[in-house]
Amino acid sequence: MSTTTTPTIHLPPDVLKSLIEVFRNMGVARYTSTAGLVAMLYDWFLTVEDEIEVIWRKKMTLTSVLYLIVSSSPAINSYRHAT
């Protein structure tokens, strides 16, 4: 009969404390990112009608292209960092 044992890793208290802090910070970062995404979507829903009227139904100009780049860059950046 063979028994297997799980190896035990012993970490110094300062290393263990640092690891716990890292995991806590990861949770805070996730909540902060989610809150930022919700605020960005809320703002977009408030202004989407105006954007459609002023940007999408008019002739594309340099100004409208710059607006689209600037307004979509936070969403693209959030997606890039989330994956």
Side-chain angles (χ1 to χ4, degrees):
M1 177 181 208
S2 152
T3 60
T4 58
T5 58
T6 306
T8 304
I9 300 173
H10 297 285
L11 296 173
D14 58 331
V15 173
L16 188 58
K17 186 176 179 180
S18 294
L19 284 173
I20 291 170
E21 187 66 27
V22 165
F23 285 117
R24 280 189 188 140
N25 289 339
M26 287 171 54
V28 169
R30 253 185 273 136
Y31 289 128
T32 305
S33 295
T34 301
L37 177 63
V38 168
M40 184 175 59
L41 288 173
Y42 176 72
D43 178 63
W44 182 77
F45 280 117
L46 289 178
T47 60
V48 70
E49 284 185 51
D50 294 335
E51 180 179 320
I52 291 170
E53 187 65 37
V54 175
I55 302 295
W56 293 104
R57 291 192 178 159
K58 307 280 183 176
K59 180 182 173 189
M60 279 290 164
T61 63
L62 177 61
T63 305
S64 59
V65 170
L66 289 174
Y67 168 81
L68 291 172
I69 291 170
V70 169
S71 67
S72 63
S73 63
I76 293 168
N77 193 34
S78 293
Y79 176 76
R80 252 189 35 223
H81 288 293
T83 57

